[in-house]
Amino acid sequence: MAAPMVAAPLAPPRPPSQASPTAGPSETTPKPSARPGPQTAPGTLNGPPSGNNHAIPLSARRAEPLDLKTVERRGQPNMAPEITQRPRPFGIPEAPTFRPTEEEFRDPMEYIRKIAPEGSKYGIAKIIPPDSWNPPFAINTERFHFRTRRQELSSVEGGNRVNNDYLDQLAKFHKQNGQNLNRFPSVDKRPLDLYRLKKTVERKGGFEAVCKGKRWAEVGRDLGYSGKIMSSLSTSLKNSYQKWLLPYEEYLRVARPGVHQQLEMINGGPYTPSPGPSPAKKIYSDTPPGMNQDTPTMKATAALNSSINGSHSQPPPPLSNESSRGPPAPAPPITGGFTPVNAGGFTAVNSMTPSNSFTSVNGYHSSNATPQRPTETPPTSNGPSHLAPYQNGLSSLKRQHSDSILSPEDIDAINRRSKRLRKDVPIVAGSNMHHSRMAAARFQPKQDRGSYRLGEMCENCGKSEDAPRLVNCQSCDAAYHMYCLEPPLKQPPDYEWHCPRCLVGTNEYGFEEGDVYSLSGFQRRAQEFRTYHFNSLPQQYSPFNDFKRELTEYDVEREFWRLVENMNDSTEVEYGADVHSTTHGSGFPTIEKQPRDPYSTDPWNLNILPLDKESMFRHIKSDISGMTVPWLYVGMVFSTFCWHNEDHFAYSANYQHFGQTKTWYGIPAEDTEKFEHAMRQEIPELFETQPDLLFQLVTLAKPDKLRAAGVRVFALDQRAGQFVITFPQAYHAGFNHGFNFNEAVNFAPQDWEPFGEAGAKRMRDYRKQPCFSHDELLLSAASRDHTIRTAKWLAPAMERMRDAELAARSHFISGPDADSPNAPDEVYLGPRYESKPEIIDTETEEDEVNCMFCKCYCYLSRFKCLKSGKYLCPRHAGSFECCDGLEHERYTGRDGTHTMFYRMTDEALKKTVSKVVDKANIPETWAAKVDSELDDNPRPSLKHLRTLLTEGEKIQYELPQLPDLRRFVERCNEWVEEATNYITRKQQNRRKNEKAWRKNTAKQQEMEERDKELRNVDNIHRLLASADEISFDCAEINTLRDRAENIKEFRREANLALSDLSSKTTTEFKELVERGRDFHVDIPEIEHLEAVVRRLQWNETVQDMKPNLTSKRQEHTLDEIEKFIALGKEVGVPDTNEDLKYFDEHRAQGELWEEKAKQVMAADQVHYQQLDSLSAQAFSLAVRAETRAAVDAILKKQREVQEKIMSLVERSKEADFRQRPNYKEVKDVMDAIEELQSKPSGTIDLEKEQRRHEDWMRRGKKLFGKANAPLHILLQHMKLVRERNEACFEISDKPRAPAEPSSRQVTPVDGMPISDGSNSSRDVFCICRKPEAGMMIECEVCHEWYHGKCLKIARGKVKEDDKYTCPICDWRMKIPRDAVRPKLEDLQAWADDLETLPFQPDEEETLVEICDHAQNYRAYIKPIIHSDVPTSPEEVPTMRFHLRKIEGADILLAEETNFLKSELHKWAPVAPEPPPLKDHSQSTRKPRPTKEQKLMASLGITKREDLPPQYKIKPGIAKRKASEAVTKGQVPLQPAANSASPIETPAPPALPEQESGTPVPPVPASQKRFLTPLAIHVLDSLCEAPVVSKLLTAEPHMNRDKLTKVKILLETDRSVWDDLPLITKKMKEMPTPSAHTPGAYGYDSNVPRPSSSSAHRDSPLFQTTNDPYPAASEAPRLASPARFGSPPAFQPHNSPHHSFDGNMFENPSASIFDSPAHDMKPAVTSPGDFGGPSRMFDSPKVSAFANVGLNSPGYGGSQQSVGNIDNVFADLVHDHDALGGFDGVQDTKEQQDPGLDVQMGSSSMPTSSGAQDVAMPDASQPVPHPLQQLAEQSLGMGAFMDEKDS
């Protein structure tokens, strides 16, 4: 504990306040009460710490949040260590502490069930969760506010409270008699404790007995006076008693019975539980009680007047008739009020302080003894009724919540079903579950006050007339006419006057409401009080001394009990108890607020625990606040919860979220009666007026007194993060050591039900409102849960419920039985209820139906008074005066004003209970069946036992006999299963897993051994003996016995047959074997029989295996013959057998044939005559089917190919061209020939014709610039040309005015000239004449829109304000072209040679269409080209239109192009000089390494002369020569015996890595130089420099830019030739070189240009920050191609050249092909971009193709990939034929998969050569084929490539 701190003192002590009636879970304290009078602002030290403004609802308040680091929490460093044992006051033993493991902690109900036997011995137990369980604190401490209760510690002790009440009433009595008890009388110089004197005299026998026995000295010694006997001690004590106590005791003796009778009349019956079923009767008469002179009240009043006026007082005069006719006077009010007798020495313990927060603990409002009604309430009858309800509809017993404090939502939430707060209307319609656990409201006569307030009218006659004659009680303020009193007063009293009820007293007590706090405010309040209290204690009580400065838990506990015991101490604390979690929030996470927190659904979460699957409270239909919904408790030091047990004797769980220790005291349920008896003995005065005192939670008794009375008391200390469990019926109490926060709730495991029933009966006996209906709970459980486990505890409970309900119904309907214990007490002996009870309508029934007398729920049956609307249970029906009807009318119900209702009839109730009982008896019923089967049958039937086992396994309950029965049945089943193997007719396959038999030899052997053991015939006899031993009966036993007899018979017959083999045929032997196999056992005779059968069968099969005698054809294969020979040897056929010898020879002939056939087929040149001869020989031999099929296939293929060759050669000579074969047929035949091992005759002629045809195709390839491409590429490229030409040569596409694409808003400019010409019917643009797609660029001259893809302009280069001039307007702008455009005349000449070809080409149709389209368009524009009328400026748009179409086509119309360009330059010049004449159109693609350069790089050679000889000629020519040599050297086929090839066929030249006839000697690794194709292409002869190989070894993927730097350095500086560091350094210092100069486009950039007519065309299209070539007189324009990109960092020339460069697009770093990623970089060396400096020859990395995809502008992609992807495909296509055969000779083997061609447009790449031939620096890291990468990453590019060549 921390050292004490000094703090300011608390407020002055308060007088004791009143108590509330009932207890909450675990530590519930009573509710605050209401007091009349003005309410002072509640507050504490220096006012409310939370800054209370009572007009602000709690939900709207905000405060400083609580710092959780300042409180003790589980798992935090400030957490106090757990103390297992510590000293305690009074020597109280410790209750048990349990520490569950994580596994045990998972199920709370199971764990609590496990610890219940031990924990219930102590009443309470502590559970410390595992360290891993630590839920967060979920309350918003900034918003959380709560109201406290004030507790004066000395008043909660019962004896102190009785003492104070007695002295209070004694002072009132004497003051009324004119004597002031201002101070206690003094005896022996000490004040005399009058109450102790009274109690001591009572123990001695009373006043008279002490006087007679002269025992006053003993009384003095008992009071603690000196042992010295003074002569005046006895006299002083006697005089004091006689003067002060004796008159009051005499008055009490007479007045108390009358007052108690009044209280019972107000309560509607006796307080104390009565064994009889009938309540006390209330007498109704026309004569007021005051007129009866013999009543206890009259006697008490007479005694009082006698003591005032003397013994000879005259009786009061009789009252007038007028007064006698008044309504019955109510009983005088009862109140407290102790007046100090010694000038402030004492304070009244229950005085009427001006406060509105007091409520009586037993339902009687002490400030409203004669209840008044609100003025707006109409008068009602004077019959018995409840206390007047408050305006808000809550009972007067509710804990009062000011509307200014709580919001309507808070009040509504609090008014839900609660332990203490009952709503008048239930929450759930049709439910009888109650909301409250509070004490029942007690009855009192209610006056019709009208507008009169208390004290303004007489409480007896109810009249306000004659006000001067009214006297008021000084305690309760009730008024009475002097003549209405008994006896009447003649004149007003001279002193204070108190009514008899106030003088006798009711001992009511409750706690006052405290302030409203936040958690942080209450923490400060608690800490200040704790520090101040312990620092300000007197020395004799202080826990501190010079050696001890720390406060221990023992010190706090000892101080607490000292304060409780000290009657003179006025220490007051505050306690935030019974705070509803429904309105204030729970400390645990909840599903509603924190659904993702795992602790929100944790079973130990107190919001989840009551509704656990094993908790009976889950059957309650609605929430009960404080019982199924947790309550919160915020404590400070010494705040306490008094002795109580839980409502309905439920379990409770209390969890401390944080804070200091809470000490608990528990009493086991076994000592409950002892505890209650000890309490009654200790404070009988309180129990006399309040028998329900223990329901009120306002009374403490010291543990030492209880232990002295034989009650076992145990204690424990609860700390943060720990649970405390209280067990059913266990009383518990406790207090807090400091500021802490707890949460508690009730729950009900199945073992709670008997306690719950007793708790409900106890509440009924004490007339207390239950929280729910126990009967409804049982029926709900029966209807919801149908498990046997539930039925086990439910059945006895429902039987008790049924018996009690039927008995109560029978008692009311028929009267008590003669032998009933209640029969002698039955008062009513008249007729009984005659009508048939009605059934409750659940749709319209009223909720919350309780008996008006005992407050129990009337769920199963109810008795309704239609006059008053009141309900009664069957126990009190008729006997309770519910209305003014006669008694027999209530009992019989004849007048129809009283009706009995049943929820279900007696039969239905019995049936419902019977179902549950039957369910509960299922285990016993099943057990009886098992016992009967086993006892009645010495050999029980297995069928019956299986049925019982099946039934038992379906029973969801633990059955003790089930395991034994299961074992017995399983043993019998094992016997039956084993026996089944021998009795079933079906062959059993024991090898269930054939794979295991084949794969695992060990397992195979094991299974074989097991199978062999199972098939032992002796097992049958063993099984029969085992069946007798097990002693059971089943059909299989008899069957097995029959089987044993059949086996015996079979063996006899088998031995007879074996002894004479000729006696039976083969079929008979087979039948005998099958008969033996059906037994499924190993019988020795079966093996002998099987051997006989196999030999007989072999002999019968001999003739079938030989060749057919007639046709000599052998139907069986060599394998079958071999198997047959092996079978014969297996069955024992001797080698001398003639048949066996024949088949051995037959097999040898077949094997010889196999050998010769394989030799012939394996020869390099197959001899087809030998094969044909072998095929004929196989007719009569046994050969293998696959060998014969291979021979026949070769012969068949040879014949088919030869036939096709002859047919093709003949057809190629047809005069009619259309009768000649197609080229595709020839290709297919030639491919088939290559698969043959020799060439059939006619192959040479066909090859010659093929070469002639392919020469024509090569002419076409050269026309289209595809000379090195495979032949099949020609058709694909021509189809692309045709498709593009169709759009460009479309005649319906006519000139139109400039138009914007549909995706752009039309923005015409005023004054802009509109070109003439009709509108085009097609919305097409650009030179390609295609619709809008992707990025579009507008020409600033002709205003035509162009695809960025067609012009290869990157999207990243385009800016909003850039200008662009198209190639049509400015001839200097070069149109990017990927292939050569042939002239139309050349194509027509090529087409004219078609008739001379031997085959019909596949390209014919496409070629004709291309020529026709171009010729048609030429004819269409001929009037423009060859017009007699000169052109004019007005025709400029039309000429631009046609030039645009012509330039977009993929064939060249030279004449038309030159004419249109010259005319456009004439009328609309843009360039300063006229365009040159064009007679050809070449590709603009940059050059790439040749195949020869790739080969040189792979061999590490820098000079072509160093190439091996076989690579200096074209591989195609070498292969052709080799083929011719083979054909010429063919010789006739040799006989089959000669397996050698006739000649050695020379092999064609091979690649370097292949084996060939002239292998290349390998170059040693130490001498081989590492080169790349790109390096040889760029550096050429400079590759001989030693530093080149070193550079490439260090950087194998060096790109073109770096190689250009290397070239410049090698040419200019000889010192770097062999100095790697030097050349590397200089390369870094050099800027990136440019591949072309600014003047490489045929004009100077400084040439003046006409100014633009539009102001917005003043900036270049791709302008960068610095322009090295600005125009002299105008803004920079895109007209200069030199400014397409950023200015080059390296310029090798100072002036531009006026000529076009074929490599204008070679350097992407300064061209329109640049990637946007290169805009701000002087040089990019990464190979990740196709448009960048690196190419596929530079780096084989996969990343080079990472961005390939649908990136064309037409598909929403960027222009970055548009220009680059074409280059990649071109690289792949142009590098296709490396060394495998040039010029399309090997086209058939080099074609790619057709599916790949479709995906990639028309490109193709061979798989056997090309890029794969490029040498790599490391053979372990092969270069991935670019086409393979592209095919994997660029599927779906066909649409993009449809306009590109290959």
Side-chain angles (χ1 to χ4, degrees), residues 425-426 428-432 838-849 862 864 871 901-903:
V425 180
V428 181
S431 170
N432 290 321
E838 298 183 12
I839 300 299
I840 298 173
D841 186 0
T842 57
E843 299 294 333
T844 60
E845 73 167 317
E846 299 182 29
D847 296 332
E848 301 278 333
V849 177
R862 60 190 63 164
K864 184 176 182 180
Y871 288 94
F901 291 90
Y902 289 171
R903 183 167 299 275

Side-chain angles (χ1 to χ4, degrees), residues 1549-1612:
L1551 293 178
E1553 62 273 11
Q1554 297 175 336
E1555 294 181 2
S1556 62
T1558 56
V1560 180
V1563 181
S1566 60
Q1567 300 177 10
K1568 184 176 178 180
R1569 306 179 60 188
F1570 177 69
L1571 299 173
T1572 63
L1574 186 61
I1576 297 176
H1577 175 69
V1578 175
L1579 300 179
D1580 197 13
S1581 61
L1582 294 175
C1583 288
E1584 296 182 359
V1587 76
V1588 173
S1589 180
K1590 299 177 182 178
L1591 278 172
L1592 294 177
T1593 303
E1595 189 174 353
H1597 311 303
M1598 185 174 291
N1599 59 23
R1600 187 181 297 271
D1601 287 347
K1602 292 186 178 181
L1603 289 171
T1604 304
K1605 292 182 182 181
V1606 173
K1607 182 177 181 181
I1608 296 173
L1609 289 173
L1610 293 175
E1611 290 175 344
T1612 58

Side-chain angles (χ1 to χ4, degrees), residues 38-104:
Q39 180 177 355
T40 59
T44 57
L45 180 66
N46 300 325
S50 57
N52 281 330
N53 181 351
H54 294 276
I56 303 176
L58 294 180
S59 60
R61 300 191 181 205
R62 300 292 184 274
E64 177 185 358
L66 175 68
D67 185 2
L68 294 178
K69 295 180 180 179
T70 63
V71 295
E72 296 183 14
R73 292 188 64 200
R74 180 178 174 84
Q76 299 298 323
N78 58 354
M79 178 67 183
E82 179 69 15
I83 302 175
T84 56
Q85 291 289 337
R86 69 171 180 87
R88 292 190 180 276
F90 321 120
I92 304 175
E94 288 284 333
T97 298
F98 298 96
R99 299 176 183 268
T101 63
E102 292 190 3
E103 180 66 25
E104 294 174 330

Side-chain angles (χ1 to χ4, degrees), residues 1495-1545:
L1495 179 60
M1496 293 168 63
S1498 66
L1499 298 176
I1501 299 173
T1502 60
K1503 296 180 181 181
R1504 188 178 183 279
E1505 294 78 10
D1506 297 336
L1507 281 171
Q1510 67 270 26
Y1511 297 113
K1512 293 182 180 180
I1513 64 173
K1514 291 187 176 181
I1517 299 174
K1519 181 178 180 181
R1520 198 176 309 147
K1521 292 181 178 180
S1523 177
E1524 293 173 356
V1526 170
T1527 306
K1528 292 178 181 179
Q1530 247 181 354
V1531 296
L1533 291 175
Q1534 300 297 323
N1538 185 6
S1539 61
S1541 298
I1543 63 170
E1544 291 294 333
T1545 305

Side-chain angles (χ1 to χ4, degrees), residues 908-1174:
L909 179 60
K910 293 177 182 178
K911 185 176 180 181
T912 301
V913 176
S914 177
K915 288 182 180 179
V916 179
V917 173
D918 293 343
K919 190 75 173 180
N921 291 335
I922 287 177
E924 287 74 16
T925 303
W926 178 86
K929 290 182 181 179
V930 174
D931 294 338
S932 175
E933 180 68 25
L934 296 178
D935 295 342
D936 297 344
N937 301 311
R939 296 174 66 91
S941 170
L942 178 59
K943 181 179 179 181
H944 295 170
L945 294 178
R946 285 173 175 172
T947 303
L948 290 173
L949 178 61
T950 303
E951 293 178 359
E953 289 176 341
K954 292 180 180 179
I955 297 174
Q956 300 298 322
Y957 193 75
E958 183 179 356
L959 303 173
Q961 293 172 296
L962 184 62
D964 294 336
L965 177 62
R966 182 184 292 110
R967 285 192 293 270
F968 183 80
V969 172
E970 287 176 353
R971 185 179 179 187
C972 295
N973 288 338
E974 291 174 358
W975 187 96
V976 171
E977 182 179 359
E978 186 175 357
T980 304
N981 296 327
Y982 306 102
I983 62 179
T984 54
R985 302 291 298 176
K986 183 178 179 181
Q987 178 67 35
Q988 298 294 320
N989 181 14
R990 302 180 187 278
R991 300 183 180 183
K992 297 183 179 180
N993 189 352
E994 290 295 337
K995 291 183 179 180
W997 284 70
R998 292 192 297 267
K999 293 182 179 180
N1000 193 336
T1001 305
K1003 188 172 183 180
Q1004 176 183 355
Q1005 294 177 354
E1006 179 183 351
M1007 295 179 69
E1008 288 177 349
E1009 291 295 333
R1010 179 175 175 272
D1011 186 66
K1012 184 177 180 181
E1013 177 64 27
L1014 289 175
R1015 296 176 62 86
N1016 192 334
V1017 70
D1018 295 334
N1019 290 339
I1020 296 179
H1021 304 287
R1022 178 182 55 80
L1023 284 173
L1024 292 174
S1026 176
D1028 295 336
E1029 179 184 352
I1030 297 173
S1031 185
F1032 74 101
D1033 185 27
C1034 68
E1036 289 79 2
I1037 296 177
N1038 297 327
T1039 306
L1040 190 62
R1041 286 198 178 97
D1042 295 340
R1043 180 58 56 91
E1045 294 296 329
N1046 293 336
I1047 291 174
K1048 184 177 180 181
E1049 178 65 19
F1050 164 79
R1051 298 185 70 176
R1052 186 185 64 78
E1053 295 182 10
N1055 289 324
L1056 290 176
L1058 290 173
S1059 63
D1060 186 5
L1061 297 179
S1062 61
S1063 61
K1064 294 184 180 293
T1065 64
T1066 303
T1067 303
E1068 291 174 340
F1069 273 105
K1070 285 183 181 179
E1071 292 175 354
L1072 193 59
V1073 169
E1074 290 300 324
R1075 179 181 165 192
R1077 286 176 180 171
D1078 289 341
F1079 295 126
H1080 306 303
V1081 292
D1082 291 336
I1083 303 175
E1085 289 79 4
I1086 295 178
E1087 295 182 4
H1088 301 301
L1089 290 174
E1090 288 176 343
V1092 172
V1093 170
R1094 288 196 299 270
R1095 176 65 183 271
L1096 294 175
Q1097 289 177 339
W1098 191 90
N1099 291 335
E1100 294 174 355
T1101 314
V1102 166
Q1103 294 303 322
D1104 294 336
M1105 299 300 293
K1106 292 181 180 180
N1108 188 279
L1109 297 177
T1110 304
S1111 62
K1112 303 300 181 180
R1113 180 181 181 86
Q1114 175 58 273
E1115 301 292 342
H1116 300 282
T1117 65
L1118 182 60
D1119 293 335
E1120 292 174 347
I1121 296 298
E1122 290 176 345
K1123 291 180 180 178
F1124 185 70
I1125 294 173
L1127 179 62
K1129 293 180 179 180
E1130 182 181 347
V1131 299
V1133 178
D1135 295 337
T1136 58
N1137 185 280
E1138 294 298 329
D1139 292 330
L1140 189 59
K1141 290 180 180 180
Y1142 170 81
F1143 284 112
D1144 285 336
E1145 183 180 354
H1146 196 58
R1147 177 184 59 183
Q1149 293 174 357
E1151 291 175 348
L1152 179 61
W1153 184 94
E1154 288 277 338
E1155 182 181 357
K1156 288 186 176 291
K1158 291 179 180 179
Q1159 288 177 356
V1160 174
M1161 290 188 293
D1164 292 337
Q1165 296 296 326
V1166 178
H1167 202 296
Y1168 291 99
Q1169 288 80 356
Q1170 286 184 342
L1171 277 183
D1172 191 45
S1173 175
L1174 289 172

Side-chain angles (χ1 to χ4, degrees), residues 74-136:
R74 180 178 174 84
Q76 299 298 323
N78 58 354
M79 178 67 183
E82 179 69 15
I83 302 175
T84 56
Q85 291 289 337
R86 69 171 180 87
R88 292 190 180 276
F90 321 120
I92 304 175
E94 288 284 333
T97 298
F98 298 96
R99 299 176 183 268
T101 63
E102 292 190 3
E103 180 66 25
E104 294 174 330
F105 197 70
R106 291 178 181 175
D107 189 345
M109 292 298 169
E110 178 63 23
Y111 185 71
I112 292 173
R113 183 193 63 80
K114 180 179 179 181
I115 67 172
E118 179 67 16
S120 59
K121 298 177 182 178
Y122 302 86
I124 57 175
K126 179 168 66 174
I127 297 178
I128 301 179
D131 295 339
S132 60
W133 195 86
N134 191 14

Side-chain angles (χ1 to χ4, degrees), residues 760-807:
K761 183 178 183 301
R762 179 172 179 255
M763 286 187 166
R764 184 185 69 200
D765 293 342
Y766 279 92
R767 305 178 62 207
K768 292 293 180 182
Q769 174 75 51
C771 300
F772 57 86
S773 169
H774 195 79
D775 295 341
E776 182 181 12
L777 175 66
L778 297 180
L779 289 174
S780 297
S783 63
R784 293 181 180 180
D785 194 341
H786 303 287
T787 62
I788 299 177
R789 184 177 181 183
T790 299
K792 277 296 183 182
W793 62 261
L794 188 60
M798 293 194 70
E799 287 181 316
R800 295 193 301 270
M801 176 194 72
R802 175 200 61 197
D803 296 343
E805 177 64 21
L806 295 180

